[in-house]
Structures are given as structure tokens and as C-alpha cells.
Amino acid sequence: MSVFQLRRSLLYVPGNMPSMLQNIPIFESDGVMIDLEDAVPLSEKDAARILVRRFLENYQDRNKEIIVRINALDTKWGEDDLRAVLPALPDGIRLPKADTPEIVETLDTMLTEFEEELGLEIGRFKILPSIESAEGVINCIRTAKSTKRLIGLAFGAEDYTASLEIERTKKGEELFAARTRVVWACKAAGIQAIDTIFADAGDMEGLHRETQLIKTLGFSGKSLVNPRQIDVIHEVFAPKQEDVDYALQVVDAIQKAREMGTGVISLHGKMVDAPVVKRAVNTLKTAQAHGMIDIELDEEVIYGQE
Amino acid sequence: MVRNSLGRELPESFNGRQVVPYQDPYSLQPDCNQATRPLRRINPDQEKVLPNLREAIIAAGLKDGMCIATHHHLRNGDALLGAVVRELDALGLRDITIASSSIHPVHAELIPYIEKGVISGFECGVNGPIGEMVSRGELNCPIIVRTHGGRARAVMSGQVQIDAAFIAAPSCDSYGNMTGAFGPSACGSLGYAHTDARYAKKVIAVTDNLVPYPARSFAIQQTLVDYVVPVESLGDPSKIVSTTTRITRDPVGLQIAKYAAQVIETSGLLQDGFSFQTGSGGISLAVADQVRQKMQAGNIKGSFGCGGITGYFVDMLEEGLFQTLFDVQCFDLKAVESIGKNAGHQEISADMYANPFNAGAVVNQLDCVILGATEVDVNFNVNVNTESNGLLLHNTGGHSDTAAGAKLSIITAPSIRGRLPIVRDEVTTVTTPGATIDVIITERGIAVNEQHADLKQELQKRKLPVKDIRELQQEIYSVTGKPRPLEFTDDVVALIEYRDGSIIDAVRKIKT
């Protein structure tokens, strides 16, 4: 996987619905999270597992990141979920109820065992833990550093508000502290922060507002429940033209600097060094995903050779 | 048996008429004058109003073996055709040909009269149970399916001679000036009836809203009308709504619509003067919505929208996105309301809309049309008449006319329908030739006809999912598998006539 993977939009797809699964290739989200947990009724857990495995085996030309949300590891389904889907090679596992770093470590160990069994590179399967309870929020700073497999932390507001015995509101003031803490944890660990779903698929204005808010807070993307929400989220995350222009100048400057054998250069009187370059590259990759620019980014030139 | 240029096997003659095999979309030339009818004289002391349909049938001189027509502007709410046929039967008439502009499921009420021999054939396409029963061999009644433009051509050239046209007139005065814009059964445009009024030997206006002379506005004028018959009701105007008039919420449909709008934008046609037609289905409306947003964002002033008109196009007219709506048929009640009040909303005849044999129809001026399909094939041929079960269920409408006329004709369809793949090796029935189809859009990719290499390149440059049509087909097959071919008998039950009168395909009885 490249240094930078866009995860603005991670779409939930119920694992028990063939009609939805077959459309995964056509959705324009950055990733999908095939759900074996809450979306699947107890009576269909087995069937969904088989269906998802078959779908993934047939989905050869992957055009987006595939994450499977398994049932929590303390349920009787969690391990069987892994056993069924991992041979079909999803990119990662979304782990529900990641209340403590130890829970994530348990999954880490299990994934290593599966990788050995399947003859895969260790660390191939990524983990996206759900932070969805008071305890999870308290522990998330340690959870974010629990294993190298983490691609980010995903905040889950529905379960979180339930654990606090409060109502979730559209404005989301009740989520502010938890969201901020999750973002801190992620940024400190160098991983991505993924925000919770916006449940009202008919309210595009509300979704726009909430996405604007979480982008400001530092989240890199959002879980979503309906494909119609994808465009709204991408629109909010689209970089501004002036940011793209500046990023292009930064990359140009650092490439010249590399040619001169240095890693620092000044642009418009400001120092351009590694963090500035990294941000610029992220901006350009986002811009590329939005079709705003069409350039080749040579990461060796940008980050320098070892 | 003969084969046309698409390789479709046709009978040499059908229902007593010689079959002209389809060759290509544009080269067949007309070789006759316009049809004529006898002149008539109505003197000052003569009244046109007759007490009922039976008197009108007698006055029109209808006899065994003759041909009648109605229009389908009331769509599935039409009560007139059924009422006329019941009267024909009561008068003991037999062997009557129906040359209406279309037949709808409501006309299943005609089935007993087909069985009884009152009706012996259809010079028009059929939607619904009649076609299904004919396909199964349960009804014996030859059908010739025509496009809207093709029907106008057939009537004007005398290929189809209508002995009596019964025109449902939602508002009509005692001398026959009529309009569809007003009245309890208002249906808006009477576009399909204009040709009938000009060419039928006798013209009977049937109205449930007789207004004092002179009617304040009219679409068809008194000089063309022989009789006026007041009736209790023409039908149920709430059933004019054709399919759906709401934008789809289905993510697959929305994805298709998004691609379609991007294709239109990429084509370069979306600029001042843009002209556009869509149908009334949920995907079509979603495309219209996206185009509308792009026109608003780019401050683009279009020239005209045409075809069957929906409330959505009315909104675009009222917002100034189009200067004119050319309306041959109103698809919903909002369009009906608009035609009576918006000066830019103009009623046009099917002749002006789409007839290939006149001095230039509106479709020739069309930039872009969005069309549907029950199936397409790897040669871009499109089927809208039969479904994958082989049953004749749908009329052609303006499909082949607009595809031939528009600069950019786009087919939008989900890649899988009822577990069946939409892209076939060969369509069950060819309605519209691939030579007139430019782009096929499914949610799994966009296939561009070879003749548009430039457009294909430009779409690829914009990173749209352009795929070779066979590649797209294989991708769909990987989900659905390859369906077993249908089995048909040799009995031809219907012909699909291309807009120029040549025969593009034949529909055969299915094996049961």
C-alpha cells in the first residue's frame, strides 16, 4: 500500500445482501466496509459469511479498499468471521468494540496466525478499530499505538451515545470531546481518524454540515450508510484550488532541492521541509482523486532515496 | 424468408403486405405523393354534434374491414377506444383494423373483441397484455409496431388509411375546435392526433367537455372535423402519468445518471443553444436533474426540450434553461397545466416531431437524447419492444426517431435486470439500429460506438470508466453467467417497422 491512502468515504455494505454486494465495484467511495456485524440478523450470520467470501473471491479487479466488519471478538461469531473471509483477502478488518488496546492486540495476534497459515506476508491485513464506548474513548490514545496494523481509528457515535445513555443530536455537541480525543490519538500515532456515520440518508444539508465540522476537527474521512452520501463527503473534502497551487509549488521546490542535494529549501521566504512536503503531497493526492490535477508524483524524488 | 442488413430473418410478406427489408437509417427515399382524402362540404344549416358514438360510427359510414384510430394521450386512463369497439360490435361490424397511436394495458378490454373477430389487426405497437398473448400464440391478430415518426409517415403516405379517427378531445366546441389543455380529462398536447385529423377520411371529435362556440383556444381546428360527440367521460386523466415522475433514489440508477451527465458535458454539446430530450423514468429524470445543475452552474441557456414532456422540463423552461418546449405528449399533469399557460410550451404534431419523410423534423435539430432499453447488443442495437422472455410488451415510441435525429444518443440501463445481463450477443428484437446509438451507459461502465473515437478519447482523458462493449459484457456475465437462448417458433406475429417503413425485425411466437 502506498504511503498515502485516501479514506474520505468508507461505505457500509450489508454482508447478507447480494444485490448490494454486487454493486461494490461501481460505488465511487474510497473504501467499503462489508458488514457482518449489526446489519446481519443472527439467523443469517453463516450465510452472510459465505456470501461475502464468494463475492470477494470473484471480485478480482479491486478498485477500492475492502474492509470487513466482523462481529466482536467476544461473540461466538468473531473468529469464524475471520476464518471465512481472510482467505478471500480483504484489505483490513474493522474491529467493533475496541474498548482497550488489548482487544486490538488479540486481533493482531490472530491475524498473524492466519497470515502464517495462509502463507501471506505478516502485517498484510490491516485493522480499523471502532472506538464506540466511553471506555474506548478513554483508552483510544493507547489503542492508536497498539499495533502497526492500524490504518486509523473509527469513531462510532451510535454505540458511544448509547454507552453514555444520551441521545445523539444532529448538531453533535455531545460528541465534541470524544471526537477531539480520537483525532488526538490518531494524529499522535500517525494514523487516520475516521468519523462516525450520519444516519439520515435523506438530509444532505445536515451531512454536509457534519462533514465540514469533522474535517475542521482533523478527521480524514467518514463512515457512511448510503451511497448517495459519497458525493457530499467528497465535495467537502475536495482541496481548494489555492491549496493545490501552493502544493504544486512546494513539490516543485523540493524536487529542485533534491537535485541540489539538500532536503530543505525556501519558498516565498518560508522554509519547506519534510512536514510541509508531506502535507503538500497529501493535498496533491487528494486533488488527483478529485480529478483536479493529472500529474505523476515520484515519491522517491519527493522524499529522497534512502 | 429474407434477411435485412442486420441479418434479421423476415417473412417476404406479412398480413397481405410486401415486406421492405431495413437497409440503413438514412438512405431510403419516399416514392409517392402525400395521401389524399375526399373534400367535403358542410353548409350553414348543418350541425356537427351527434348524440352518441353509435350515431357517429353510422354517420362515418364504417363498414366491415375498415380502419379506425384513436390517440393515446390519455395513456392508461383512456376509455374511448374500448367504448368505440363495443359500439362497433353492437352494430355487428367485423374485421376492423386498429391504427391508434398506441395501445396500453387498459386496452386489455379489447381482447374479447379480438377473439370475436371484431378486431383483426393492429397497425400500431402495443403495450401490455395484448402483445403478450399474441407472442404466446393465444391471440391471432397481426401487429405492426411503428415509431411515433413512422406512424405519422405511414398515415401521411397512405400506407395506413384511416377510415374514421375518433379523437378524444378534453375541450371541444360544437364545431370541432379542440384542445387537450383544458377540461376534466385534460391531457395536454394532442400531438399524435394532428395527423389523423388531417388524413382520416372521417374525423370525429369525442368530448366530455363541450364548450360554447368558439373555443377560446384550439390545437385542432373545425375545418378538419366532421362530427362532434359529447360523452360522459373520456377516461381517467390521473392515469396519464406514464411510469415514474420522480428522480430515482436507487444508487445504481444515480450512478448511471451521473455518468450520463458527464458524457453530455464531455461531448461539448452542453453550451448555449443546447437541445435535449429524456423520457420519464427515474434514471432519465436523474440525468435531467444533473444536466439542469450543470446548466445552472455554467449559466447555459438551452434552446429547446422536446418529446414527451415532464414537469421536470417545465421547471427548466420556467427557470429559463430552455427557450421552448416542443411537446408531442404530456407525461404528467404538471406538463398538462403548463401547456395551457406557458407561451414557450408549444404543442407539436408527431409529424413535426419525428417524421423522416417531411422537410425536416424536430428530432433532426436535437443535440442529445437519453433513451432506455430492455436489452442492447455488442453491435449497439437496442431492443425496447420485447423483453428477455421474448414477449412483445412495449411500443417503440420515439426511440428510433430521436436516436436517428440526435447528435448524441445515449442509452442508459442497469447492467443487470432481474438477474439477466443487459448486454447480449444479439438482442431478442432490434428496435433501433446500432448505427444510430452513440453511447451505452451502465453503472459498470460506458461503451462508446466505434464511430466516435474522439468522444471515447476525451472520456478516457477524464478518467470515466470507458469500456469496450464486449469487455463490459464479459464483466456482467461474470456476475450473471451467460443466459440460455430463448426458443421461438417460425410463426411471425408482429413486425417491427423502422421509421422509414422498412422492416427492421420480426417478432415470433415463443415456444411454450
Side-chain angles (χ1 to χ4, degrees), chain A residues 241-259:
Chain A
Q241 190 59 48
E242 62 234 47
D243 295 341
V244 177
D245 294 343
Y246 178 69
L248 285 168
Q249 289 171 11
V250 168
V251 167
D252 188 49
I254 198 69
Q255 280 173 334
K256 284 193 182 124
R258 297 275 178 229
E259 280 165 27

Side-chain angles (χ1 to χ4, degrees), chain B residues 11 142 210 241 274 354 362 432 476 512:
Chain B
L210 190 65
V241 176
F274 179 62
V362 168
T432 295
I476 303 168
T512 41

Side-chain angles (χ1 to χ4, degrees), chain B residues 431-462:
Chain B
T431 308
T432 295
T436 60
I437 299 297
D438 302 306
V439 185
I440 293 172
I441 300 177
T442 75
E443 77 283 11
R444 283 171 203 272
I446 301 169
V448 183
N449 201 331
E450 279 172 12
Q451 58 213 15
H452 299 289
D454 290 357
L455 177 63
K456 185 173 177 177
Q457 222 174 11
E458 196 56 39
L459 292 169
Q460 280 166 333
K461 220 158 102 188
R462 296 190 184 202

Side-chain angles (χ1 to χ4, degrees), chain B residues 263-490:
Chain B
V263 169
I264 295 170
E265 196 172 36
T266 307
S267 73
L269 293 168
L270 196 58
Q271 49 179 317
D272 283 346
F274 179 62
S275 56
F276 190 39
Q277 174 166 343
T278 69
S280 61
I283 296 179
S284 290
L285 290 180
V287 181
D289 185 51
Q290 299 249 349
V291 166
R292 175 192 195 171
Q293 287 175 28
K294 287 184 195 289
M295 288 175 83
Q296 282 167 339
N299 197 21
I300 295 162
K301 300 266 173 269
S303 56
F304 69 89
C306 77
I309 297 296
T310 59
Y312 215 84
F313 268 48
V314 171
D315 289 341
M316 291 173 80
L317 175 77
E318 290 176 351
E319 286 163 13
L321 297 176
F322 290 125
Q323 180 198 312
T324 300
L325 296 180
F326 284 128
D327 188 343
V328 70
Q329 171 184 23
C330 293
F331 273 146
D332 58 29
L333 296 176
K334 187 166 184 182
V336 173
E337 196 190 319
S338 163
I339 203 169
K341 68 171 190 198
N342 281 320
H345 188 158
Q346 292 184 24
E347 176 166 343
I348 59 167
S349 67
D351 171 39
M352 174 157 170
Y353 170 48
N355 180 1
F357 286 179
N358 62 24
V362 168
V363 293
N364 293 357
Q365 294 292 314
L366 194 55
D367 284 331
C368 176
V369 63
I370 306 292
L371 297 164
T374 60
E375 299 169 331
V376 299
D377 70 24
V378 293
N379 297 310
F380 286 74
N381 296 316
V382 181
N383 177 13
V384 299
N385 297 123
T386 55
E387 295 207 351
S388 302
N389 51 17
L391 302 175
L392 177 62
L393 291 172
H394 310 284
N395 205 347
T396 303
H399 200 282
S400 323
D401 298 316
T402 49
K407 292 188 186 74
L408 178 66
S409 54
I410 296 175
I411 301 292
T412 56
S415 65
I416 300 167
R417 199 179 260 147
R419 293 185 294 128
L420 290 168
I422 194 99
V423 183
R424 319 306 282 280
D425 291 329
E426 266 198 345
V427 284
T428 309
T429 305
V430 183
T431 308
T432 295
T436 60
I437 299 297
D438 302 306
V439 185
I440 293 172
I441 300 177
T442 75
E443 77 283 11
R444 283 171 203 272
I446 301 169
V448 183
N449 201 331
E450 279 172 12
Q451 58 213 15
H452 299 289
D454 290 357
L455 177 63
K456 185 173 177 177
Q457 222 174 11
E458 196 56 39
L459 292 169
Q460 280 166 333
K461 220 158 102 188
R462 296 190 184 202
K463 303 233 165 15
L464 284 161
V466 177
K467 289 174 186 164
D468 180 81
I469 189 139
R470 287 179 191 277
E471 188 190 332
L472 184 61
Q473 183 190 32
Q474 285 313 317
E475 194 181 319
I476 303 168
Y477 277 1
S478 76
V479 181
T480 61
K482 188 174 175 172
R484 271 198 310 274
L486 291 168
E487 291 195 54
F488 292 95
T489 68
D490 291 336

Side-chain angles (χ1 to χ4, degrees), chain A residues 22-23 25-28 201-202 227-228 231 294, chain B residues 249 251-252 254-255 258-259 416 443-444 463 479:
Chain A
Q22 70 164 8
N23 288 327
I26 71 152
F27 296 136
E28 293 180 320
R228 282 186 285 133
D231 280 353
D294 190 10
Chain B
R249 293 168 64 88
V252 169
L254 287 170
Q255 185 64 57
K258 195 170 156 190
Y259 288 151
I416 300 167
E443 77 283 11
R444 283 171 203 272
K463 303 233 165 15
V479 181

